[in-house]
Amino acid sequence: MRRRQFIAGLGSAVAWPVVARAQQPAMPVIGYLNIQSADNYKFVTVPFLQSLKENGYVEGQNVAIVYRWAENQPDRLPALAADLVRRRVAVIVAPGIVATLAAKAATTTIPIVFYTGGDPVASGLVASLNRPGGNLTGSAILSTELVPKRLQLLRELIPDAVLFGALGNVSPDVQAAARALGLQLIVADAENDSELEMAFATFSQRQARGVMVPNGPFYNRSMNQLAALAARHALPAIFPYREFALAGGLMSYGSSFAYTARQLGIYTARILNGEKPADLPVDRATKIELIINLKTAKALALTVPPSLLAIADEVIE
């Protein structure tokens, strides 16, 4: 072989890996939009990443994730959502109604996977649960529908009670359920730590016998503080998700963040595999669990009735 031919052949051999690398498909990018902070939301992020992995996508190996945290400042969400759109991410994951609405306002083409504790049809997120249409789908958690049942469970725990505290905005249906049980509610909303302290102080001063805690971004990220305040004021409390009981809350009745996070991972993987959000029915998180923390009950010097223990899905001892 002539020297010139040899050099030309060598050049082609060297160039081939470069060409092969250039032809490899680009790694898909997920945009993750959240109203909270990374440290406060690991209870959702960790199971979401695990679900992605179980469905074929591992962060840093075959999928990239761009995280955008609003650090509990809702007014930052529109700009963060717009940034993800400019980056042309393959899909936006938006846990919670506030982040979902910001993502929806930012794009009508990029798929969005959400979860919400409200009605996604009434919120204008999707056309229907079975056929979402548009570019959004996700998971709807039973939340507000379960509040009367939580009130009933709290009453069963403390049958001689006539006065309970209720955080958040209480609907007419919940007020009616309270009246039907012969109960009165002291209602107090809180949007920051100091207001939460004041609310529990009010419940204690007015001699409430227990407290209902609702679903909501602020309350969800304040799990540990809520458990500590309930213990300090010796107030039995019922919460919306399993993770609250794991954090030291007395009881929870509802779904779990882990379940909804796994659903986010499943739908995100399906969209990355080519499915359209318009064709993916909104998942209804209908698995409802009663969790009782007996360690907390003991600390409150409270005896949990056998009737409640008998129907509990999990008892923490």
Side-chain angles (χ1 to χ4, degrees):
M1 179 183 294
R2 293 181 181 177
R3 184 172 181 274
R4 183 175 298 173
Q5 291 174 326
F6 173 78
I7 292 173
L10 182 61
S12 298
V14 171
W16 167 248
V18 176
V19 174
R21 283 197 298 272
Q23 291 176 342
Q24 289 178 356
M27 184 182 294
V29 178
I30 298 169
Y32 192 95
L33 182 68
N34 199 291
I35 191 175
Q36 303 201 38
S37 63
D39 289 341
N40 285 336
Y41 222 65
K42 290 179 181 178
F43 58 90
V44 170
T45 309
V46 170
F48 165 70
L49 292 175
Q50 180 61 35
S51 177
L52 268 185
K53 182 178 180 181
E54 292 168 358
N55 287 276
Y57 289 94
V58 180
E59 184 180 13
Q61 292 186 17
N62 62 349
V63 70
I65 303 179
V66 176
Y67 296 93
R68 290 294 178 264
W69 303 96
E71 303 294 338
N72 307 314
Q73 299 174 54
D75 57 333
R76 294 184 58 198
L77 283 169
L80 295 175
D83 177 59
L84 293 175
V85 172
R86 281 194 298 271
R87 291 173 176 270
R88 298 182 180 179
V89 296
V91 56
I92 295 175
V93 176
I97 184 63
V98 182
T100 303
L101 289 172
K104 183 177 186 293
T107 179
T108 58
T109 55
I110 296 175
I112 298 168
V113 181
F114 65 83
Y115 79 64
T116 175
D119 182 346
V121 178
S123 301
L125 300 181
V126 296
S128 73
L129 297 179
N130 291 331
R131 300 287 293 179
N135 61 318
L136 286 85
T137 191
S139 184
I141 313 163
L142 285 173
S143 180
T144 54
E145 302 96 323
L146 301 179
V147 176
K149 179 63 176 180
R150 292 187 191 117
L151 188 61
Q152 181 183 334
L153 290 168
L154 198 57
R155 175 61 183 274
E156 188 171 344
L157 178 70
I158 316 166
D160 62 338
V162 294
L163 190 62
F164 284 150
L167 288 169
N169 296 315
V170 175
S171 71
D173 289 344
V174 174
Q175 291 283 14
R179 288 193 297 271
L181 292 168
L183 294 170
Q184 296 179 7
L185 299 179
I186 306 167
V187 180
D189 200 4
E191 297 182 355
N192 54 55
D193 293 348
S194 62
E195 290 180 357
L196 199 56
E197 296 264 358
M198 290 175 58
F200 271 84
T202 299
F203 297 151
S204 182
Q205 290 164 6
R206 295 186 60 182
Q207 299 183 332
R209 297 290 302 280
V211 177
M212 284 199 310
V213 178
N215 170 55
F218 172 67
Y219 298 115
N220 294 345
R221 70 172 180 265
S222 303
M223 279 188 246
N224 294 325
Q225 185 185 5
L226 283 161
L229 283 169
R232 186 196 311 165
H233 292 279
L235 282 168
I238 189 164
F239 300 90
Y241 298 114
R242 177 177 184 269
E243 285 77 7
F244 283 89
L246 296 178
L250 175 63
M251 290 196 304
S252 68
Y253 182 72
S255 186
S256 74
F257 286 114
Y259 171 84
T260 54
R262 286 192 294 270
Q263 289 303 118
L264 286 177
I266 291 169
Y267 268 18
T268 300
R270 290 178 67 175
I271 287 170
L272 290 175
N273 289 336
E275 295 189 59
K276 304 297 183 184
D279 301 326
L280 294 174
V282 174
D283 173 72
R284 292 288 283 173
T286 55
K287 184 181 179 182
I288 306 302
E289 298 176 316
L290 172 62
I291 314 297
I292 299 174
N293 190 323
L294 283 184
K295 292 171 61 177
T296 301
K298 183 178 179 180
L300 292 169
L302 191 66
T303 300
V304 179
S307 58
L308 276 183
L309 292 174
I311 62 173
D313 297 277
E314 181 179 350
V315 175
I316 300 170
E317 300 188 67

